[in-house]
Amino acid sequence: MTLAAATNETLAHTSNVLIYSSMAVYLLAFFANMAEWIFGSRSKVGRTAAALTGTADAASAVQVQVKQKNGGTAVLERPTVVTRAAAGARDVPDGPGASGGDEQGDLYGRIAISLITLGFLVEFSGVLTRALSVQRAPWGNMYEFNLTFSTVAVGVYLALLALKKNVRWLGLPLVTTVLLDLGLAVTVLYTASDQLVPALHSYWLYIHVSTAIFCGAVFYVGAVGTILYLFKDSYESKLAGGGAPGRFATSVMERLPASQSLDKFSYRVNAAVFPLWTFTIIAGSIWAGDAWGRYWGWDPKETWSFITWVAYAAYLHARATAGWKGRKAAYLALAAFGCWIFNYYGVNIFVTGKHSYAGV
């Protein structure tokens, strides 16, 4: 074995160790996120907010006596607690966050963010050493794509936090799915370090695939926001109809942003990355022209990339022109993300085409 081959093998082994180490750190972050929600739900602030919100009609009727300077008293009506915004209004306050406004819950939340940051750095190092071991971009097969995808998804989350965006509620679902993604990668999708087929030796590999990974990570963040929006909207509808949600539902839902905030967040995320997804498809077409002598051939991967583009375009068009907001738009957004997921997993595993040479 040559020195270069031995070095590459060592780097590949180091990459595997780093990926498993990042999974261990993410697991600790998962428990810290769970502790943030559990201990936060016990806070006095959280209980008081839930009680006021759950009994808005009764609370609005409570009279408060205030002692005046002249010795008399005045009776004041307690302000009505808003539980759901009217159509087009934005008067529903966001929840206190995953910690529920509790100092102990907030402490666990900050620990979770620190662990997620550490896990991101370790996983990024694993992806980097994987790239060094094969001396190319680290997304030549599904195993490498999964590693890079989860790294970028966590990076997007941390970037939003750094920009002071209210997205700490995203931590628990993010870490959960990242652990599932990495578990799938190291068991089912694992592929030993190897070189690419000649068709993939192109600078378009860096451009086309990297943008596809970034778009997928951002679409994923938008999809999580959409799913949580559907739950929060149902919860608010139940409150508005006079229903009494269970203790667990109240504990969770009251700390999430308002449904309209989640809806707006998902829309902005999807709208922001859609132009880049358009560029991704165009870049892939140009690369196909260089590699195969034709720009478009309705290969399964090309077809489902276009279907995904149409689905997100329909979602954005409906929001902009038909005024579709809320649940109808959310279902469209989830259908579009489902197309992206099938384009990656379904097409790569179950369908044979020109993109199959990269292997699983």
Side-chain angles (χ1 to χ4, degrees):
M1 180 182 295
T2 64
L3 179 60
T7 302
N8 292 340
E9 184 177 344
T10 301
L11 288 171
H13 176 71
T14 302
S15 173
N16 294 339
V17 172
L18 288 170
I19 295 303
Y20 279 104
S21 299
S22 70
M23 292 177 66
V25 177
Y26 284 138
L27 183 61
L28 293 176
F30 170 81
F31 288 124
N33 274 298
M34 288 292 294
E36 178 185 18
W37 285 90
I38 292 172
F39 287 98
S41 67
R42 297 174 179 172
S43 69
K44 182 178 180 181
V45 173
R47 290 197 305 270
T48 303
L52 287 174
T53 306
T55 59
D57 293 335
S60 62
V62 174
Q63 295 179 336
V64 181
Q65 289 187 341
V66 180
K67 188 174 183 179
Q68 296 180 331
K69 292 182 179 180
N70 58 9
T73 58
V75 179
L76 301 178
E77 296 289 337
R78 178 173 294 181
T80 302
V81 179
V82 178
T83 59
R84 183 175 173 81
R90 295 192 176 120
D91 54 356
V92 174
D94 289 339
S99 66
D102 177 56
E103 291 185 5
Q104 187 176 20
D106 183 68
L107 173 63
Y108 283 113
R110 287 185 277 112
I111 292 173
I113 293 174
S114 300
L115 289 171
I116 292 173
T117 304
L118 177 60
F120 167 78
L121 295 175
V122 175
E123 186 182 9
F124 177 80
S125 301
V127 172
L128 181 60
T129 52
R130 173 76 177 198
L132 293 175
S133 71
V134 292
Q135 299 178 359
R136 57 168 172 78
W139 44 73
N141 48 61
M142 288 186 68
Y143 169 70
E144 295 173 353
F145 193 102
N146 266 42
L147 298 184
T148 309
F149 171 81
S150 59
T151 304
V152 174
V154 176
V156 170
Y157 170 66
L158 294 176
L160 290 173
L161 286 176
L163 292 172
K164 307 299 182 182
K165 303 298 181 181
N166 179 26
V167 295
R168 209 159 100 173
W169 48 268
L170 188 61
L172 183 57
L174 173 73
V175 172
T176 303
T177 49
V178 164
L179 281 171
L180 292 173
D181 176 79
L182 290 178
L184 181 66
V186 299
T187 54
V188 178
L189 302 177
Y190 179 77
T191 303
S193 299
D194 199 2
Q195 294 303 312
L196 299 176
V197 297
L200 292 180
H201 285 286
S202 171
Y203 60 89
W204 285 107
L205 175 67
Y206 295 88
I207 300 173
H208 171 63
V209 183
S210 64
T211 54
I213 292 172
F214 180 78
C215 289
V218 178
F219 282 146
Y220 158 77
V221 170
V224 172
T226 300
I227 292 172
L228 293 178
Y229 156 76
L230 291 173
F231 282 109
K232 187 62 182 283
D233 183 69
S234 296
Y235 173 80
E236 291 179 356
S237 296
K238 189 170 185 178
L239 283 179
R247 182 180 301 177
F248 176 77
T250 300
S251 175
V252 174
M253 292 296 119
E254 282 300 318
R255 287 179 285 160
L256 287 175
S259 62
Q260 289 189 0
S261 297
L262 290 168
D263 183 43
K264 182 169 61 176
F265 169 79
S266 301
Y267 170 68
R268 288 180 173 178
V269 165
N270 290 326
V273 80
F274 180 73
L276 187 61
W277 180 247
T278 305
F279 169 78
T280 300
I281 296 177
I282 295 173
S285 299
I286 297 174
W287 188 10
D290 291 343
W292 302 321
R294 53 89 175 147
Y295 293 101
W296 195 268
W298 296 106
D299 178 77
K301 179 69 69 172
E302 296 169 347
T303 301
W304 276 96
S305 295
F306 178 68
I307 291 174
T308 303
W309 185 90
V310 171
Y312 274 108
Y315 161 72
L316 296 175
H317 179 75
R319 294 269 316 210
T321 59
W324 276 27
K325 296 181 181 180
R327 302 189 73 85
K328 292 188 294 184
Y331 294 140
L332 268 178
L334 289 181
F337 184 69
C339 292
W340 189 92
I341 289 292
F342 181 79
N343 183 35
Y344 175 52
Y345 287 102
V347 173
N348 282 11
I349 296 175
F350 302 111
V351 182
T352 301
K354 284 185 173 294
H355 288 76
S356 301
Y357 51 61
V360 174

